[in-house]
Amino acid sequence: MIKVKGLYHSYLKDGKYAVKDVNFEVGEGEIFGFLGPSGAGKSTTQGILTGLLQLQKGDVTVAGYDIKNISRKMFNKIGVSFEQSNVYNKMTAKENLSFYARLFDVETRDPLELIELVGLKGKENIKTGEFSKGMKHRLVFARSMINNPTMWFLDEPTTGLDPAIAAAIKDIIKDRNKMGVTVFLTTHNMYIADELCDRVGFIVEGEIKLIDSPKNLKLQYGEKLVEVEYTQNGSVKKDCFSTILQKDKDALNKIINEKEILTMHTKEATLEEIFIKVTGRELV
Amino acid sequence: MLKRIWFIFLRDIRINLRELMTVYMLVIPLILAVGINFLSPGINDTSVNLVLVKDENPEQAAYFDDFAHVQLMDNQQEVEYRIAERDDVLGVLAGDNGYYILAQGNEPESVVEYARLLNVLYESEVKLEDARSEIIEFGRTAPPLKKMLVNILLLLITMLAGMLISMNILEEKVDQTVAAINVTPTTRKAFILGKGFTGMFVAIISSIAVILITGFYSINIGQAVLVILSVTIISLVIGFLQGLNSDDFMEAAGSVKLLFLPMAGSIAGYEFVKGNWQIFFYWSPFYWAYRANDMILSKSGSWPQLILYVGIILVICGGIYALLARRIVRGLQ
């Protein structure tokens, strides 16, 4: 569904690249997570893929369309949910979606159905200028589905949402994916990526460091750890031991045999910890 | 593409009609047009108004009607009441020694003298056919002050259209909605045309309304619309650019108002500068638009002349657009 080969982009065209030599592919029906800290090049890459930024160097195809000579027809197939809540503040939620729907050449979804889907039922006739940031964000998410896209770009879809709403949004993404929709998810939230993505790509300073499934990454880079809380000389101590390293295993055995254990938990490495390990950067 | 241009236009019009500021901008030319009617004499009015008693002397009434605005009252008392009203009206009434002129006393002397002379001519049985003098005219059919004010108002409307565009673009910028439009099949050309059509539509409707309100019914409205459309291009280009470069409406409107300077200069140049010096205003599309409108309002122009003026306006506006188009397109990315 997406093919990116040798992608470079420089905003000032001065040889300083926001993304450099980016290569990846996203298969049909896949949820691909594009992960990285702020300024890593995620939005630049997504901007090029969605035609918002001009392709300078490299080969990119999206939904079968060559981005070099972009065809407006491509936009009938793709949906984009922006990180910023870019809706018309002077229009109601329903008017926003109705207007947007008219700009497509394909059959579109009922605005009221989408408004209900994202939990905004009853707010359809309220001007979005009166909406909270979270409500606007949900409307932007709903808008991205109006043309029934087969290729869906989601930029931080759960940012600023309360856990219940975020869970509902994740369920919608899963449902759409089950229906065959390909998802390109840009986020710095490793938990949502871990939960939703078939594969993830780590991007730092414009370069992709690695691409794999969260499961493989955990197997490859994540150590199984045991976190132990115990008493020593009347005070409570807390240590973490690897279940792979012999030295740690011996130390853990010793504590179990000699000390009074208060709590003991196994711990799996998170995607965030793997990201830090691989890139040497935190996801800020 | 036409479908999308239409929907963008409809959206903008709908939003504009909800905003107090834009409604004010749409209504103000009409209020000014009504104001012009109050301030200047009507295009079809004669300068002398006479009141006579109905059926007292129909032949005299018919004679006066050819040279003045004649009003007939049922009796002498009604004539007196009419004379007592605020406007300049003179009564011509039968007395013991022929007809006399009834006036309030504060009427211009020339008007009273005209009425007296008219009565003398009637009594002397002088007819228009008796006149031997040939009339050679400059072709002016409208009161010069009124024509000038209407012409200025028509140019002002194009400026308001630019401000409207500026506001609509600014809305897109503040709400960051251009990116959302850019990921639909809508081309930038369709977006610009949709936005521009709003300004054009407002300019046309307001211009026609102003022409009709001010009484210029008999001019060629199609010609006037053609001139308004051509000169509106420059306001739209500036409106687009300022909308994209501004952060709030006051800043955008203030920038568009800069166009007042060349506009006022062009009008002053045409009205007050000697013919051979007018060449210094040829660069201004407002100069040509004012000149073309003057011709249309005077009903003294021909189509080839008008097409020449519109052609010059389009060439100048097209050049300005070509200079600024890249900045506009870049701003919409």
Side-chain angles (χ1 to χ4, degrees):
Chain A
M1 205 65 165
I2 298 177
K3 282 182 188 170
V4 178
K5 208 172 170 187
L7 177 66
Y8 288 81
H9 191 87
S10 169
Y11 282 98
L12 299 172
K13 296 179 181 171
D14 58 354
K16 288 179 185 168
Y17 293 105
V19 290
K20 49 195 163 193
D21 198 24
V22 167
N23 299 280
F24 67 90
E25 286 189 14
V26 179
E28 204 169 331
E30 189 180 3
I31 302 184
F32 184 83
F34 207 49
L35 315 178
S38 301
K42 302 188 300 282
S43 299
T44 305
T45 307
Q46 182 167 314
I48 295 165
L49 295 181
T50 53
L52 290 173
L53 287 174
Q54 202 177 11
L55 176 65
Q56 294 174 351
K57 191 178 170 187
D59 297 311
V60 179
T61 57
V62 173
Y65 289 93
D66 187 352
I67 294 292
K68 205 167 276 175
N69 301 304
I70 203 158
S71 162
R72 300 309 297 180
K73 284 180 188 169
M74 178 184 89
F75 296 104
N76 285 319
K77 286 189 175 181
I78 75 166
V80 183
S81 178
F82 294 87
E83 185 182 6
Q84 66 269 34
S85 308
N86 54 354
V87 291
Y88 290 105
N89 285 312
K90 291 173 187 169
M91 292 168 86
T92 65
K94 190 182 162 197
E95 285 172 342
N96 260 286
L97 296 194
S98 299
F99 167 67
Y100 203 70
R102 286 172 177 156
L103 301 178
F104 290 94
D105 301 316
V106 289
E107 199 180 326
T108 53
R109 293 179 72 173
D110 178 13
L112 290 177
E113 175 213 338
L114 287 175
I115 286 169
E116 189 177 346
L117 192 66
V118 295
L120 291 173
K121 192 179 178 185
K123 314 279 185 197
E124 57 270 15
N125 293 320
I126 295 173
K127 282 185 188 169
T128 59
E130 295 169 29
F131 276 19
S132 69
K133 202 176 169 189
M135 288 161 78
K136 282 185 190 176
H137 201 65
R138 277 186 273 165
L139 190 65
V140 169
F141 180 77
R143 189 182 62 191
S144 70
M145 290 185 274
I146 197 101
N147 57 325
N148 287 306
T150 51
M151 176 72 241
W152 200 12
F153 291 92
L154 302 175
D155 195 351
E156 307 286 2
T158 56
T159 298
L161 303 181
D162 67 59
I165 300 291
I169 295 288
K170 278 187 272 187
D171 287 342
I172 295 169
I173 297 170
K174 283 178 195 168
D175 286 347
R176 299 292 302 163
N177 179 245
K178 274 182 202 160
M179 292 161 77
V181 173
T182 309
V183 181
F184 186 86
L185 175 69
T186 305
T187 184
H188 63 263
N189 183 337
M190 292 291 169
Y191 297 103
I192 179 177
D194 198 359
E195 192 182 336
L196 292 176
C197 296
D198 299 312
R199 285 188 308 141
V200 292
F202 289 168
I203 183 166
V204 174
E205 290 169 357
E207 290 179 272
I208 290 191
K209 298 295 179 185
L210 66 81
I211 295 174
D212 213 332
S213 67
K215 192 180 168 188
N216 282 347
L217 288 173
K218 283 174 189 171
L219 284 173
Q220 197 178 342
Y221 294 95
E223 287 179 295
K224 292 251 177 170
L225 302 170
V226 175
E227 201 174 66
V228 189
E229 211 175 21
Y230 57 96
T231 55
Q232 188 176 33
N233 303 327
S235 61
V236 177
K237 285 196 74 179
K238 198 174 177 181
D239 276 319
C240 205
F241 301 98
S242 165
T243 56
I244 298 162
L245 297 172
Q246 192 55 48
K247 184 182 76 168
D248 277 23
K249 281 204 254 183
D250 293 344
L252 179 62
N253 265 335
K254 200 175 170 194
I255 287 169
I256 291 169
N257 292 330
E258 295 174 7
K259 311 290 179 191
E260 187 194 346
I261 306 292
L262 297 174
T263 60
M264 189 160 73
H265 303 285
T266 55
K267 191 171 166 255
E268 194 178 45
T270 64
L271 213 51
E272 186 162 1
E273 285 165 340
I274 296 168
F275 185 90
I276 294 166
K277 198 169 186 176
V278 171
T279 65
R281 287 280 306 271
E282 292 206 31
L283 276 164
V284 185
Chain B
M1 188 163 97
L2 286 176
K3 179 191 90 171
R4 281 181 268 272
I5 291 172
W6 176 246
F7 285 129
I8 290 167
F9 160 72
L10 279 187
R11 191 212 78 88
D12 280 359
I13 288 288
R14 182 184 284 183
I15 296 301
N16 290 154
L17 290 175
R18 284 181 191 169
E19 288 287 302
L20 199 65
M21 176 66 89
T22 42
V23 169
Y24 171 76
M25 281 165 60
L26 297 174
V27 168
I28 196 72
L30 310 184
I31 295 171
L32 289 174
V34 173
I36 288 172
N37 278 350
F38 277 114
L39 286 172
S40 60
I43 189 169
N44 298 319
D45 283 355
T46 53
S47 56
V48 176
N49 295 300
L50 301 176
V51 191
L52 281 71
V53 176
K54 198 192 285 179
D55 301 329
E56 192 270 322
N57 187 347
E59 192 190 333
Q60 183 194 40
Y63 184 86
F64 286 177
D65 199 41
D66 285 342
F67 306 99
H69 181 251
V70 175
Q71 207 176 341
L72 298 172
M73 296 296 177
D74 287 336
N75 51 51
Q76 187 166 339
Q77 196 178 19
E78 277 188 28
V79 172
E80 286 170 9
Y81 286 144
R82 179 67 189 88
I83 303 297
E85 283 180 23
R86 290 183 63 186
D87 53 344
D88 291 335
V89 181
L90 300 172
V92 182
L93 297 167
D96 297 335
N97 303 313
Y99 285 91
Y100 65 93
I101 306 291
L102 183 66
Q104 270 188 326
N106 58 357
E107 291 82 358
E109 198 184 331
S110 59
V111 172
V112 179
E113 293 299 319
Y114 180 85
R116 284 179 66 193
L117 190 64
L118 204 58
N119 198 38
V120 169
L121 290 172
Y122 168 69
E123 285 172 349
S124 310
E125 295 181 0
V126 175
K127 290 183 179 150
L128 202 59
E129 297 81 48
D130 301 330
R132 289 182 192 165
S133 54
E134 187 188 357
I135 296 173
I136 298 172
E137 58 182 29
F138 291 130
R140 294 187 179 177
T141 55
L145 176 67
K146 184 170 188 175
K147 192 179 61 176
M148 186 176 83
L149 291 174
V150 171
N151 200 343
I152 292 171
L153 189 52
L154 291 177
L155 292 188
L156 189 75
I157 286 169
T158 66
M159 189 93 58
L160 292 177
M163 282 187 191
L164 200 68
I165 294 290
S166 188
M167 273 187 82
N168 291 338
I169 290 290
L170 195 65
E171 182 205 358
E172 300 272 359
K173 190 184 166 186
V174 170
D175 292 344
Q176 298 177 298
T177 39
V178 177
I181 301 289
N182 282 342
V183 292
T184 70
T186 311
T187 58
R188 290 211 177 93
K189 199 189 291 176
F191 182 74
I192 290 172
L193 285 174
K195 292 279 170 193
F197 190 44
T198 310
M200 292 283 188
F201 176 78
V202 166
I204 293 169
I205 297 296
S206 300
S207 301
I208 293 173
V210 163
I211 288 167
L212 296 180
I213 289 171
T214 50
F216 284 85
Y217 316 108
S218 57
I219 66 159
N220 189 327
I221 291 178
Q223 288 183 339
V225 167
L226 192 66
V227 174
I228 294 298
L229 280 181
S230 59
V231 79
T232 300
I233 293 172
I234 188 166
S235 299
L236 298 190
V237 170
I238 302 296
F240 259 106
L241 204 63
Q242 294 311 322
L244 290 167
N245 290 335
S246 304
D247 293 319
D248 61 68
F249 170 68
M250 295 318 286
E251 189 185 339
S255 307
V256 176
K257 273 197 299 190
L258 282 176
L259 283 175
F260 275 119
L261 202 61
M263 184 191 282
S266 303
I267 293 165
Y270 180 75
E271 291 289 347
F272 306 118
V273 175
K274 277 185 179 176
N276 50 343
W277 291 97
Q278 295 215 350
I279 195 168
F280 291 104
F281 298 94
Y282 283 5
W283 57 270
S284 169
F286 296 114
Y287 170 84
W288 293 106
Y290 188 81
R291 198 166 156 166
N293 280 339
D294 186 63
M295 191 179 81
I296 295 164
L297 293 172
S298 309
K299 292 196 282 184
S300 60
S302 62
W303 272 106
Q305 213 174 349
L306 182 86
I307 287 166
L308 173 71
Y309 289 166
V310 169
I312 294 169
I313 295 168
L314 287 177
V315 167
I316 299 169
C317 291
I320 293 167
Y321 178 74
L323 278 174
L324 301 173
R326 274 187 72 183
R327 286 176 67 182
I328 291 172
V329 171
R330 212 184 304 141
L332 291 174
Q333 281 177 345

